[in-house]
Amino acid sequence: MFKFPEQMKRVFKDDEMQAHFEEYGYVTASFYDQDDINELEDLFYRFHKKDDLKGFFSSTFSSNKEYRIIADQSIRRINSRSIDRLLKDVKVVCGSFIVKAPDDNSGMSVHQDMTLIDESEFTGINIWCPLTDLTEDNGVLMVLEKSHRLYPTYRGSSIPGIYEEVCDDLIKLMKPVYLTAGEAIFFDQSIIHYSPPNHSDEPRIVTNTYFSHKDVRFVTAYLNPDQSDKIELFEQDERFMTDFEQFGQNIKDRPKVGKSLGFYDYDFPKITKQDLLDNYGYQIVEDVPQKAIKQSLVTSLLKRFKIR
């Protein structure tokens, strides 16, 4: 198992943004203007009909490689101005659309994003920016503050999550991030997050732009179910997110691209209820009315975090 670096390589120009990101695992900032939003919506609907959208969809899942490339290049072009304003010494890897159709199947369960880089030295960061205001109805993003440094992990679709035994409790501890259209959240890929289904009348369209420090090394991880005590790591190049053909179908299979770096012990600790008590002061209470639990959580969170 690897260790997180003692000091994150700096990527934010602003001292307060860098400090908030390192402590909480995320930070927010203004990102798109209205012209950007209009151009991105037009681009998305060039390839999609509103009535055809179902459930949860990411452009990286598409089997149409030309579409993946156009989405990537266009999103990166449009957001380059804001990236230059807010960031320094970075390598931007991939731009994509992430969409929730207005139906019950559009939720995204508790998860951490897959390992894409060598996290013993670098930090993988998403710039997640909605093209509409987020609300309780349309699938607001929820994050567990400071969970990006609970445990170092390798993550991927073939690898069980470290949070699976306490998912319901984690959701109760998460903070909803009510971004306005064009406002972005920059979050560490290892932060635990979740979003409920979109129950509004319109699709919730988001752009996601992945980046890291300019010197980054790209790595993905795979767990063979027949050899469950070892993780196989793969060296990848920076075009992995656009070129990878397995996202939409056989993502749990052994990667068909990249160079194997060998096998490493699979010895991740799982998050337990005691961890939630130790790290968040959250006591699991059985047989208590839900309203009382929610009131207690709100009071606890207000005391524990300095929320911006």
Side-chain angles (χ1 to χ4, degrees), residues 184-227:
I185 178 173
F186 297 68
F187 67 88
D188 189 318
Q189 280 209 306
S190 62
I191 200 171
I192 298 173
H193 56 291
Y194 155 81
S195 61
N198 177 7
H199 289 143
S200 73
D201 296 327
E202 295 292 329
R204 189 215 68 184
I205 304 173
V206 168
T207 67
N208 189 69
T209 306
Y210 179 68
F211 77 94
S212 187
H213 187 268
K214 62 181 178 62
D215 299 327
V216 65
R217 293 187 299 276
F218 298 97
V219 176
T220 57
Y222 168 72
L223 179 66
N224 185 330
D226 297 325
Q227 192 179 13

Side-chain angles (χ1 to χ4, degrees), residues 45-178:
Y45 285 116
R46 277 174 50 195
F47 293 91
H48 301 276
K49 293 181 179 179
K50 184 181 295 188
D51 293 341
D52 293 339
L53 297 174
K54 304 293 182 184
F56 176 90
F57 171 78
S58 171
S59 60
T60 56
F61 294 174
S62 174
S63 60
N64 183 340
K65 186 173 182 179
E66 179 184 9
Y67 164 52
R68 297 200 308 268
I69 291 173
I70 291 173
D72 170 37
Q73 292 177 345
S74 299
I75 291 169
R76 289 205 273 173
R77 172 182 55 78
I78 293 167
N79 66 28
S80 61
R81 182 180 68 256
S82 290
I83 285 176
D84 290 343
R85 173 173 55 88
L86 296 168
L87 304 173
K88 67 176 187 176
D89 298 333
V90 300
K91 181 184 288 292
V92 179
V93 181
C94 181
S96 62
F97 287 109
I98 298 177
V99 182
K100 284 178 179 285
D103 65 50
D104 290 336
N105 297 318
S106 60
M108 178 55 71
S109 60
V110 173
H111 68 287
Q112 296 171 290
D113 289 346
M114 68 183 292
T115 297
L116 290 174
I117 62 169
D118 180 357
E119 292 183 351
S120 68
E121 185 175 353
F122 303 99
T123 304
I125 303 173
N126 287 321
I127 309 173
W128 194 95
C129 188
L131 306 187
T132 187
D133 295 350
L134 296 185
T135 69
E136 291 184 1
D137 294 328
N138 67 2
V140 64
L141 183 69
M142 302 177 68
V143 299
L144 182 62
E145 293 184 322
K146 302 185 179 183
S147 61
H148 63 307
R149 289 299 178 265
L150 282 180
Y151 295 120
T153 59
Y154 293 119
R155 306 174 304 278
S157 293
S158 63
I159 305 171
I162 64 173
Y163 40 76
E164 293 180 343
E165 298 176 5
V166 291
C167 282
D168 290 342
D169 299 299
L170 290 174
I171 291 173
K172 295 172 186 175
L173 281 167
M174 288 185 183
K175 176 187 175 183
V177 185
Y178 290 108

